[in-house]
């Protein structure tokens, strides 16, 4: 069909602003890209790692009553809403961009009706031949994934169960020891029955500590302390600035030569066994004793609480061998311990026992630990870290010296229950842990210690759901969205260099106002009454092209059949 000649100048629109045309044709794209970047940043930088308490449902009335805490369902709603808004803006731009691509192809290359129908309806490339067909096909391909990528972003969020501590208003009583010990010193002080009950009760504490803290044989117990709390709390609850009985072993040095007085005590423990059975001795490897030359127990407490620093003798049962007369103590001990080369052992007369004797240097008092943790409803554990300033946190204890003198009963009994644990085959380390465990258990049975203030603040272990965002998925989603921006750049560049009609901002009105008289005049199949495109329509009208046509007194754009 023959086209009407083009007028001298492009058709002009009265009152149309270039600025507003640009705004109306591109605001959806710019908003879509901005929201895509903002949404991705929120997922990666804010949501990732966020911990939320599992909610019990929640409703609008909860917010009205002041409950402003987010729940997982709230986050899911926000994410879904953001994706819906972003996708709506994106598809609004894609529809506009599709018509702009169609207008470019109609103006320069022409399109068959089937190509135009498929391009607008399904947003897929329909032609690869022509001046701008390759560019528009690339644009359509770049925009195509944006319709289907929302699950990529929503599926990037995973919720994992985790736990962490949060401040709790609950207070528990601090301190330890017996509530009333005024009767301890006096005329009954030397009665063995009292000391025997004291040792049994302390052994019960040691068993509790061991059962709760020593299940893992590979656990590092160095610097670990325990006490029995006055108030119950749920396991794993933390208490702040918790005071505990404390003994720090500075050094243990093993003697090459044994002093006679020390040898007499090691081989005649009646001098230091105050538990009611002075002739009883144990034959369990790893059992020990601690003593000094003065075996008499104190008859009163110090006038004031001071940090006690002492040096005492310590003996450990290192080996047992029936061939003592052959001097096989060291050889037998080397099968159990790794550090026996520099240690001189002596055999107990009339038995198979071989002992190591040394000097232990220690400090005892009350240590205020920054954090203590409930292992059970009453047993609290704390660990002395190297970065904690011990001097400022260590306080005096009236019972420290007395407690250090009555440890032998526990040190000889505790190894029976722990299965001759050898603490990594290191005799020095095993001795240190045994002394600490015996001291903590025995101090728990002695006089009371109450901190100032007497109440301790707790921190409850709370379960949370932690958001984990798959950053790779989010970045892929963002990249596919940014491709839509690249497609818009290509369209704008082609339109800028084109001398044809302006870009289409209103896709509902611009096609409606396009003159199609030449197509309708040539049509013999009643295409003006079309409901869908038939094969007859395709044959009757080949390719159409957007071209300026002249009418009396005006110049406007219309569709004409391509020559």
């Amino acid at each position: 069909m023959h086209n009407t000649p083009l007028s001298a100048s492009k058709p002009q629109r009265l009152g149309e602003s270039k600025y507003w045309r640009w705004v109306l044709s591109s605001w959806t794209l710019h908003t879509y890209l901005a929201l895509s970047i903002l949404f991705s940043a929120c997922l990666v930088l804010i949501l990732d790692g966020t911990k939320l308490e599992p909610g019990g449902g929640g409703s609008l009335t909860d917010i009205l009553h002041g409950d402003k805490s987010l729940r997982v369902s709230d986050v899911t709603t926000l994410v879904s809403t953001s994706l819906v808004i972003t996708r709506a803006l994106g598809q609004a731009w894609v529809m506009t961009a599709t018509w702009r691509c169609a207008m470019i192809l109609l103006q320069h290359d022409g399109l068959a009706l089937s190509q135009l129908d498929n391009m607008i309806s399904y947003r897929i490339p329909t032609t690869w031949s022509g001046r701008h067909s390759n560019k528009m096909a690339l644009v359509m391909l770049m925009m195509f994934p944006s319709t289907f990528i929302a699950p990529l972003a929503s599926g990037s969020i995973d919720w994992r169960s985790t736990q962490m501590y949060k401040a709790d208003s609950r207070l528990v009583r601090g301190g330890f020891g017996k509530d009333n010990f005024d009767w301890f010193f006096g005329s009954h002080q030397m009665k063995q029955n009292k000391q025997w009950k004291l040792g049994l009760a302390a052994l019960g504490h040691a068993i509790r500590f061991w059962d709760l803290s020593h299940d893992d044989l590979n656990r590092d117990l160095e610097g670990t302390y325990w006490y029995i709390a006055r108030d119950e709390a749920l396991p794993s609850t933390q208490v702040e600035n918790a005071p505990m009985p404390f003994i720090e072993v500075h050094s243990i040095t093993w003697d090459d030569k044994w002093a006679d007085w020390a040898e007499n005590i090691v081989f005649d423990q009646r001098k230091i066994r105050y538990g009611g059975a002075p002739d009883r001795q144990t034959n369990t490897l790893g059992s020990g004793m601690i003593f000094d030359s003065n075996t008499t127990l104190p008859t009163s407490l110090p006038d004031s609480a001071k940090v006690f620093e002492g040096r005492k003798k310590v003996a450990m049962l290192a080996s047992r061998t029936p061939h003592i007369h052959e001097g096989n103590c060291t050889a037998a001990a080397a099968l159990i311990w790794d550090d026996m080369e520099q240690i001189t052992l002596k055999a107990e007369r009339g038995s198979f026992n071989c002992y190591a004797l040394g000097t232990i240097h220690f400090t005892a008092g009350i240590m205020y630990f920054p954090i203590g943790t409930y292992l059970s409803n009453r047993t609290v554990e704390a660990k002395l870290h190297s970065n904690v300033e011990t001097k400022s946190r260590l306080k005096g204890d009236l019972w420290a010296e007395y407690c250090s003198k009555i440890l032998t009963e526990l040190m000889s009994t505790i190894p029976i229950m722990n299965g001759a644990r050898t603490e990594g085959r290191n005799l020095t380390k095993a001795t240190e842990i045994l002394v600490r465990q015996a001291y903590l258990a025995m101090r728990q049975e002695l006089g009371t210690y109450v901190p100032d203030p007497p109440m301790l603040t707790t921190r409850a272990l709370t379960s949370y759901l932690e958001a984990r965002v798959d950053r790779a998925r989010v970045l892929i989603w963002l990249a596919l969205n940014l491709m839509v921006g690249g497609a818009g750049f290509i369209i704008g560049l082609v339109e800028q260099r084109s001398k044809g009609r302006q870009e289409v901002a209103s896709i509902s009105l611009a096609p409606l106002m396009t003159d199609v008289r030449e197509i309708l005049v040539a049509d013999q199949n009643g295409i003006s009454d079309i409901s869908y495109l038939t094969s007859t329509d395709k044959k009757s009208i080949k390719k159409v092209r957007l071209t300026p046509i002249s009418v009396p007194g005006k110049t406007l754009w219309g569709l004409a059949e391509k020559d």
Side-chain angles (χ1 to χ4, degrees), residues 391-410:
K391 291 184 179 180
S392 62
R393 291 182 170 271
L394 184 59
K395 308 299 179 182
D397 184 10
L398 291 172
W399 289 92
E401 182 178 5
Y402 186 91
C403 185
S404 68
K405 292 185 72 68
I406 59 175
L407 297 183
T408 298
E409 193 68 46
L410 283 180

Side-chain angles (χ1 to χ4, degrees), residues 191-217:
K191 286 188 176 180
Q192 293 178 342
N193 185 46
K194 180 178 62 179
Q195 298 291 345
W196 173 238
K197 291 181 179 179
L198 187 69
L200 284 179
L203 183 61
H205 297 317
I207 293 173
R208 173 184 286 188
F209 295 157
W210 189 272
D211 289 343
L212 292 173
S213 305
H214 296 62
D215 293 337
D216 183 4
L217 294 180

Side-chain angles (χ1 to χ4, degrees), residues 67-309:
D67 183 7
K68 299 180 180 179
S69 59
L70 280 178
R71 298 177 176 85
V72 173
S73 58
D74 299 326
V75 174
T76 302
T77 301
L78 290 173
V79 169
S80 301
T81 302
S82 300
L83 286 174
V84 168
I85 295 174
T86 303
R87 186 176 182 273
L89 286 170
Q91 293 312 298
W93 157 255
V94 169
M95 178 59 72
T96 301
T98 302
W99 271 105
R100 289 169 67 174
C101 290
M103 291 298 181
I104 292 173
L105 292 179
L106 285 172
Q107 179 180 340
H108 297 283
D109 302 330
L111 287 173
L113 291 183
S114 60
Q115 292 176 325
L116 179 60
D117 183 39
N118 290 331
M119 185 174 181
I120 300 301
S121 299
Y122 306 110
R123 304 171 194 174
I124 57 175
T126 55
T127 177
W128 296 84
S129 60
R131 180 181 177 186
H132 297 293
S133 295
N134 290 338
K135 298 183 185 71
M136 296 304 102
L138 176 61
V139 166
M140 299 295 287
L141 290 176
M142 293 173 68
M143 296 189 300
F144 183 77
S146 64
T147 307
F148 310 99
I149 60 176
L152 193 62
S154 60
S156 66
I157 305 171
D158 186 21
W159 294 95
R160 302 177 185 178
S161 179
T162 185
Q163 292 180 318
M164 64 177 294
Y165 287 96
K166 73 171 185 178
D168 192 354
S169 59
R170 182 169 180 255
L171 300 176
V172 296
R173 289 183 298 165
F176 51 86
K178 293 299 182 181
D179 291 333
N180 187 350
F181 237 82
D182 295 339
W183 56 267
F184 189 83
F185 294 105
S187 60
H188 303 286
Q189 192 268 337
M190 292 303 294
K191 286 188 176 180
Q192 293 178 342
N193 185 46
K194 180 178 62 179
Q195 298 291 345
W196 173 238
K197 291 181 179 179
L198 187 69
L200 284 179
L203 183 61
H205 297 317
I207 293 173
R208 173 184 286 188
F209 295 157
W210 189 272
D211 289 343
L212 292 173
S213 305
H214 296 62
D215 293 337
D216 183 4
L217 294 180
N218 295 318
R219 183 180 178 188
D220 182 13
L221 298 178
E222 185 174 358
T224 304
Y225 294 81
W226 310 271
Y227 80 103
I228 306 300
R230 295 183 176 276
D231 287 339
E232 294 185 356
L234 293 175
S236 299
T237 299
Q238 289 185 341
V239 290
E240 299 178 358
N241 205 33
M244 291 190 181
F246 177 80
I247 182 170
E248 181 181 10
V249 176
H250 302 295
S251 66
I252 299 175
T253 56
W254 301 104
D255 297 348
D256 293 332
K257 296 181 179 180
W258 288 39
D260 292 339
W261 69 269
E263 182 176 345
N264 291 335
I265 292 177
V266 171
F267 296 145
D268 186 7
Q269 298 178 22
R270 289 175 297 179
K271 296 181 177 65
I272 55 174
R273 300 290 286 271
Y274 309 105
D279 58 340
R280 179 169 50 86
Q281 293 181 321
T282 62
N283 298 318
T284 303
L285 290 176
S287 64
M289 63 195 80
I290 188 169
F291 57 92
D292 54 27
S293 58
N294 181 12
T295 60
T296 302
L297 292 178
T299 58
S300 63
L301 293 178
D303 295 333
S304 60
K306 295 181 180 180
V307 175
F308 176 71
E309 182 175 1

Side-chain angles (χ1 to χ4, degrees), residues 334-354:
L335 299 176
I336 305 171
W337 314 97
D338 290 335
D339 53 347
M340 302 307 299
E341 294 81 2
Q342 306 300 323
I343 301 178
T344 300
L345 301 181
K346 279 201 174 184
E348 181 180 3
R349 292 180 296 273
S351 74
F352 299 155
N353 298 333
C354 299

Side-chain angles (χ1 to χ4, degrees), residues 471-540:
R471 299 192 174 194
R473 290 190 181 189
V474 175
L475 291 177
I476 293 173
W477 178 85
L478 179 60
L480 293 175
N481 283 330
L482 294 180
M483 283 174 56
V484 177
F489 176 78
I490 295 175
I491 294 175
L493 190 63
V494 172
E495 289 177 336
Q496 185 179 10
R497 296 179 177 179
S498 173
K499 296 181 179 181
R501 64 165 295 161
Q502 303 294 346
E503 63 269 20
V504 176
S506 177
I507 61 173
S508 58
L509 294 178
L512 181 65
M513 296 301 156
T514 299
D515 193 311
V516 296
R517 285 177 296 173
E518 291 197 23
I519 300 298
L520 297 178
V521 169
D523 171 52
Q524 302 296 324
N525 199 41
I527 198 169
S528 61
D529 195 30
I530 187 173
S531 60
Y532 69 95
L533 194 66
T534 65
S535 57
T536 304
D537 296 330
K538 297 175 184 178
K539 293 177 182 178
S540 63

